[in-house]
């Protein structure tokens, strides 16, 4: 964070985007930025919570010495942005009885840091919104195979809430900075 703040005062500051599994690719974009005489680059993967499968896959394609921000799961600006989106939704639709915060699932083995950061994001968001215990819950989606995955799982949680008589549940996905297949299909269609 301090690195970016310092550079912003020494404009010009170039901000651009690249994709890990698409175009423009990270190596292509880094080459383009070097051609613009960018001599110090800070990469921000848009994965709020650290997972080896995400951040380290980005680090794998970076030239040695490239700085990368690993996580922003608890950054006040991120929590504020999540809370602002939910407040806008609730202003338009009214609040639901329960807020489910659904994060991307991972196999439980070696996912302690990721799970801790997901739960911390959930706690901070609930506190920012002033939610009481029992009115919010952290869950995990996108599981497959036979391994033990992080729990509780989103879909069975939603079924259980319905069986308990909860009429309306809002689901937010604070592990995704923008909608994608996993939010649009899994949450927007299947979970709905």
């Amino acid at each position: 964070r301090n690195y970016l703040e310092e550079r912003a005062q020494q404009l010009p500051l170039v901000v651009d985007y690249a994709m890990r599994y698409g175009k423009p690719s990270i190596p292509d974009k880094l080459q383009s930025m070097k051609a613009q005489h960018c001599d110090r680059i800070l990469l921000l993967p848009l994965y709020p919570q650290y997972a080896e499968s995400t951040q380290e896959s980005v680090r794998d394609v970076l030239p040695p010495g490239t700085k990368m921000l690993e996580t922003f799961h608890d950054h006040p600006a991120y929590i504020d942005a999540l809370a602002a989106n939910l407040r806008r939704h609730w202003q338009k639709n009214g609040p639901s009885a329960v807020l489910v915060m659904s994060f991307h699932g991972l196999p439980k083995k070696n996912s302690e840091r990721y799970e801790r950061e997901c739960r911390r994001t959930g706690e901070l968001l609930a506190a920012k919104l002033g939610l009481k215990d029992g009115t919010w819950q952290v869950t995990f989606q996108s599981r497959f195979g036979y391994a033990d995955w992080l729990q509780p799982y989103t879909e069975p949680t939603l079924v259980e809430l319905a069986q308990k008589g909860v009429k309306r549940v809002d689901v937010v996905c604070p592990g995704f900075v923008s909608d994608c297949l996993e939010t649009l299909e899994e949450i927007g269609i299947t979970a709905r």
Side-chain angles (χ1 to χ4, degrees), residues 61-180:
V61 300
L62 297 179
T66 304
K67 292 187 179 201
M68 182 177 94
L69 187 66
E70 276 191 359
T71 181
F72 54 94
H73 72 281
D74 59 354
H75 193 283
Y78 184 61
I79 302 301
D80 287 346
L82 293 169
N85 282 339
L86 278 162
R87 286 185 184 118
R88 274 192 300 275
H89 174 76
W90 289 339
Q91 186 175 27
K92 182 180 176 183
N93 302 292
S96 63
V98 177
L99 175 65
V100 172
M101 301 178 207
S102 182
F103 292 84
H104 188 284
L106 287 178
K108 193 167 189 161
K109 185 176 181 182
N110 300 321
S111 296
E112 295 85 6
R113 178 178 174 186
Y114 175 75
E115 180 179 13
R116 185 173 57 252
E117 290 184 6
C118 290
R119 293 190 187 283
R120 182 68 180 146
T121 299
E123 292 165 0
L124 291 169
L125 181 55
K128 186 73 174 181
L129 293 168
L131 300 178
K132 296 178 180 160
D133 289 344
T135 64
W136 64 276
Q137 186 171 356
V138 167
T139 64
F140 297 91
Q141 66 192 65
S142 306
R143 63 187 162 97
F144 58 90
Y146 298 103
D148 188 23
W149 285 60
L150 296 175
Q151 294 184 34
Y153 301 135
T154 300
E155 193 170 338
T157 297
L158 294 172
V159 170
E160 180 182 319
L161 288 168
Q163 289 171 341
K164 289 180 177 177
V166 176
K167 299 290 183 203
R168 183 169 153 231
V169 175
D170 285 329
V171 180
V172 65
C173 298
F176 300 89
V177 296
S178 64
D179 282 328
C180 60

